[in-house]
Amino acid sequence: MMANIENQLGTINIEPEAIAKIAGLATTECYGIVGMASKNMKDGIVKLLKIESLTKGVKLHIDNNKLIIDLHIIVKYGTNIKAVAETIISTVKYKVEEATSMQVSSINIFVEGIKIND
């Protein structure tokens, strides 16, 4: 489902993939994040995504032009997960709303794994 913004000059249509990219990039900029995660539903294996495919770790739902964003992340070992999640929520909400002028109604964080330094 595409996001629509109407103004006096017409309608702006924003693809969910574009919003997911904004959310994914904002997430990876936060402290304590190793990257976005993708879970193979068949065998339950979590995979760390590269920067070019980070939108696979973002699930977007549009309901009455309000956004619900699910973020699947991998955090760095030793970080406070609650603090990292709160930072992600405020950062992603700000950046998505600023870029799209759409309201973010909720952001759900799913910690899919913890990466231990190599």
Side-chain angles (χ1 to χ4, degrees), residues 49-94:
L49 297 171
K50 295 184 176 160
I51 194 77
E52 59 272 1
S53 60
L54 59 85
T55 57
K56 291 179 183 171
V58 179
K59 304 293 182 239
L60 191 66
H61 311 283
I62 303 169
D63 186 27
N64 293 329
N65 263 2
K66 292 183 180 176
L67 302 171
I68 300 168
I69 303 171
D70 294 342
L71 301 169
H72 298 266
I73 62 169
I74 297 175
V75 297
K76 187 185 307 182
Y77 175 75
T79 57
N80 182 321
I81 293 174
K82 181 180 180 227
V84 169
E86 288 172 350
T87 301
I88 291 169
I89 290 169
S90 64
T91 302
V92 170
K93 181 174 172 45
Y94 173 77

Side-chain angles (χ1 to χ4, degrees), residues 35-48:
M36 303 302 291
S38 173
K39 192 172 192 177
N40 182 335
M41 298 310 259
K42 182 179 175 185
D43 46 359
I45 296 175
V46 175
K47 177 179 163 188
L48 178 63

